[in-house]
Amino acid sequence: QCHLQGLWRNELGSNMTILALNTAGTFSGSYHTAVAATNKQILVSPLQGVQQHPSAKRHPTFGFTVQWQFSDSTTAFVGQCFVDHRGKETLETMWLLRKEVLSHKDTWKATR
């Protein structure tokens, strides 16, 4: 069974810490990205999420949002946790980032 709680690292060097899940499957934590399109100092940012049926699924799906502390943007992640035959846990995720734009006419360039 896959457990989201703990420290996770991706291939780009970003770090994510997920704190304990409650019985409803919600969790919080922090994300420290190693990549960003900004000249500002990168700061650790809070995350909030939910895991699908945490006690019943071997490879559960989950989602979380990160409120970036160094930019006017928010990212939503969705994914699934997998465990291989040796017990190694891997998260497969996709993300969507929305940055603030100054007018509605610029909305086309606000989502990555």
Side-chain angles (χ1 to χ4, degrees), residues 2-10 14-22 26-32 44-45 47 51 62 64 81 89 91:
C2 203
H3 299 283
L4 290 181
Q5 182 179 350
L7 174 65
W8 296 89
R9 290 189 180 94
N10 72 12
S14 298
N15 295 300
M16 174 176 69
T17 300
I18 296 179
L19 303 175
L21 280 72
N22 66 22
T26 62
F27 58 87
S28 62
S30 61
Y31 200 103
H32 190 209
V44 175
S45 299
L47 67 81
Q51 178 180 321
F62 60 89
F64 61 90
C81 187
E89 298 170 321
L91 303 182

Side-chain angles (χ1 to χ4, degrees), residues 44-66:
V44 175
S45 299
L47 67 81
Q48 295 286 326
V50 64
Q51 178 180 321
Q52 178 192 37
H53 308 293
S55 64
K57 302 293 182 181
R58 178 165 164 75
H59 304 291
T61 60
F62 60 89
F64 61 90
T65 58
V66 177

Side-chain angles (χ1 to χ4, degrees), residues 12 16 25 30 33 36-37 43 45 54-56 68 72 75 79-80 91 93:
L12 300 175
M16 174 176 69
S30 61
T33 186
L43 302 172
S45 299
S55 64
W68 302 111
D72 296 324
T75 300
Q80 187 171 0
L91 303 182
T93 62

